[in-house]
């Protein structure tokens, strides 16, 4: 069986036993889009079809650290900030939608 996935595309799966009483769901990203620097790791995953939304996962931050995220779509800039949890983990949705439209990039 060949796995077909784009870079950063999460693949969801479900394992089940023969009688169907045990289900174990999971997600893997076989070809991650990630960057590492020291203890910090940033990963982007496709959150919606055609890259209309990206999920950004950040690990290795100081607990409670504010993280500015910047994106630009057809000249329109967005700068949402996320805050790391007690374990130094943060998650954000980057939405490229442009004001007055239902698309971006």
């Amino acid at each position: 069986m060949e796995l077909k996935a784009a870079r950063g595309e999460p693949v969801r799966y479900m394992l089940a036993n023969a009688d169907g009483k045990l289900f174990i769901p999971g997600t893997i990203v076989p070809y991650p889009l990630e960057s590492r620097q020291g203890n910090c790791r940033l990963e982007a995953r496709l959150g919606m079809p055609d890259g209309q939304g990206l999920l950004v996962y950040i690990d290795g931050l100081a607990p409670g650290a504010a993280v500015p995220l910047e994106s630009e779509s057809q000249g329109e800039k967005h700068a949402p900030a996320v805050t790391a949890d007690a374990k130094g983990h943060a998650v954000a949705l980057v939405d490229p939608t442009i004001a007055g439209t239902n698309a971006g990039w």
Side-chain angles (χ1 to χ4, degrees), residues 6-27:
R7 292 208 54 213
E9 180 180 5
V11 177
R12 289 163 183 86
Y13 63 90
M14 176 78 69
L15 300 176
N17 65 350
D19 66 6
K21 292 183 180 181
L22 177 66
F23 291 95
I24 302 171
T27 301

Side-chain angles (χ1 to χ4, degrees), residues 1-5 31:
M1 181 167 104
E2 182 181 346
L3 177 63
K4 293 183 181 183
Y31 312 110

Side-chain angles (χ1 to χ4, degrees), residues 57-84:
Y57 294 83
I58 309 167
D59 290 297
L61 301 169
V67 180
L69 295 175
E70 296 180 17
S71 67
E72 184 174 335
S73 184
Q74 295 185 13
E76 187 172 299
K77 295 182 180 184
H78 301 272
V82 296
T83 302

